[in-house]
């Protein structure tokens, strides 16, 4: 059982991205971070708007995350060539938009299992040698870091494909790998000094004195599929990285 939700591919160019968190018409009240956010070139900005809601005091508060990024032209063009080669020589029904939707579902599911240390449930979804490494790393994490591994679907702010690779081994088997990058919010309590470079957002709900605190984290998941004739069409996760948590 490898990842049944992955049968195709969401087109987002690879970006150098930054995020701004808004609550209705109010912008961020406080943001901390070691490095300044880059200034985008407005002529080359890609914008993605994600609704985000929270429930405080029984009332739903609508929030909106706006993700802006400057596309890397070289990576964008290179990945499009690989997508063309995949459709031409491996799977003529391959679709990057459908793949990204399935990858996001897989990321949500697998990150939740990692957070709970349910390593047996990862079998068939994640490569066996990777599960062994993840088990060793996760068991050494404090509970707050384990909680931060989990990403709910509503907390995923941005998803974009990264590197794409096509491989042949000595036996003539054919493989395709796609690296997916995810940015998600977490309310896990994490020490400031251990996650240098991450962004902290404190958003004051209208009429409330206390601020909601969310931290923006990133994760890289690599998906691999063997396209050798006669092999089941299944994608398997072969690489998992959570920035500053599982490197």
């Amino acid at each position: 059982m490898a990842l049944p939700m992955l049968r195709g591919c969401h087109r987002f160019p690879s970006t150098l991205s930054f995020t701004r968190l808004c609550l209705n018409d109010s912008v961020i009240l406080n943001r901390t971070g070691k490095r300044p956010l880059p200034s985008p070139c407005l002529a080359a900005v890609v914008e993605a708007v994600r609704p985000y809601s929270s429930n405080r005091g029984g009332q739903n508060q609508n929030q909106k995350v706006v993700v802006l990024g400057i596309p890397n032209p070289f990576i964008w063009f290179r990945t499009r060539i690989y997508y063309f080669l995949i459709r031409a020589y491996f799977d003529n029904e391959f679709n990057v938009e459908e793949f990204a939707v399935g990858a996001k579902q897989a990321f949500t599911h697998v990150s939740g299992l990692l957070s709970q240390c349910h390593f047996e449930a990862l079998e068939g979804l994640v490569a066996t040698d990777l599960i062994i490494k993840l088990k060793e790393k996760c068991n050494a994490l404090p509970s707050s870091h384990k909680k931060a591994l989990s990403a709910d679907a509503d907390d995923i702010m941005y998803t974009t494909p990264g590197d794409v690779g096509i491989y042949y081994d000595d036996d003539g088997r054919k493989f395709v790998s796609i690296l997916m990058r995810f940015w998600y919010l977490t309310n896990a309590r994490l020490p400031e000094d251990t996650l240098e470079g991450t962004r902290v957002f404190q958003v004051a709900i209208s009429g409330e004195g206390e601020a909601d605190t969310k931290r923006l984290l990133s994760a890289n998941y690599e998906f691999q599929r063997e396209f050798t004739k006669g092999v089941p069409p299944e994608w398997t996760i072969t690489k998992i990285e959570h920035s500053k948590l599982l490197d």
Side-chain angles (χ1 to χ4, degrees), residues 181-193:
R181 298 187 173 111
F182 305 92
W183 284 264
Y184 64 100
L185 294 175
T186 178
N187 58 5
R189 302 302 179 188
L190 301 171
E192 294 290 335
D193 57 345

Side-chain angles (χ1 to χ4, degrees), residues 18 28 32 38 41-42 45 56 67 107 132 152 166 174 223:
F18 64 94
I28 304 169
T32 62
C41 172
L42 294 180
V45 164
R56 294 285 300 274
V67 179
F107 169 59
I132 297 174
D152 293 333
I166 297 176
K174 300 176 289 186
F223 299 84

Side-chain angles (χ1 to χ4, degrees), residues 7 18 56 58 82 84 115 140 159 165 180 207 218:
R7 296 181 178 176
F18 64 94
R56 294 285 300 274
Y82 275 112
F84 170 78
S115 178
T159 304
M180 296 295 297
S218 63

Side-chain angles (χ1 to χ4, degrees), residues 21 52-54 63 155 185-189 199-203 211-216:
L21 181 62
Y52 183 81
S53 63
S54 64
Q63 303 180 42
D155 289 329
L185 294 175
T186 178
N187 58 5
R189 302 302 179 188
R199 304 296 174 188
V200 177
F201 300 95
Q202 291 182 336
V203 184
D212 257 351
T213 300
K214 295 283 186 178
R215 189 186 296 270
L216 182 67

Side-chain angles (χ1 to χ4, degrees), residues 58-177:
Q59 296 181 345
N60 289 325
Q61 301 290 338
N62 294 322
Q63 303 180 42
K64 181 175 67 175
V65 171
V66 180
V67 179
L68 304 175
I70 303 174
N72 182 317
F74 175 75
I75 296 179
W76 186 91
F77 183 72
R78 184 180 65 184
T79 56
R80 269 46 192 185
I81 293 177
Y82 275 112
Y83 296 153
F84 170 78
L85 293 175
I86 293 172
R87 287 191 295 269
Y89 296 102
F90 298 96
D91 182 1
N92 59 8
E93 295 182 354
F94 176 83
N95 183 283
V96 66
E97 285 81 10
E98 292 179 3
F99 178 87
V101 171
K104 181 178 177 180
Q105 295 174 358
F107 169 59
T108 301
H109 181 61
V110 171
S111 67
L113 294 176
L114 281 177
S115 178
Q116 300 173 44
C117 294
H118 290 170
F119 303 107
E120 295 80 5
L122 295 176
E123 296 179 3
L125 306 175
V126 178
T128 302
D129 58 338
L130 181 57
I131 295 177
I132 297 174
K133 296 177 182 178
L134 291 172
K135 185 175 182 179
E136 179 180 352
K137 291 181 178 181
C138 289
N139 285 334
L141 292 177
S143 58
S144 59
H145 286 58
K146 291 178 182 178
K147 180 180 179 181
L149 294 175
S150 180
D152 293 333
D154 291 339
D155 289 329
I156 301 175
M157 297 296 104
Y158 192 59
T159 304
T160 182
D163 293 334
V164 180
I166 297 176
Y167 310 95
Y168 293 81
D169 67 7
D170 294 336
D171 297 325
R173 296 186 301 169
K174 300 176 289 186
F175 298 89
V176 170
S177 66

Side-chain angles (χ1 to χ4, degrees), residues 26-42:
S26 301
V27 297
I28 304 169
L29 296 183
N30 185 35
R31 178 180 62 218
T32 62
K34 297 291 184 179
R35 296 174 296 183
L37 295 176
S39 298
C41 172
L42 294 180

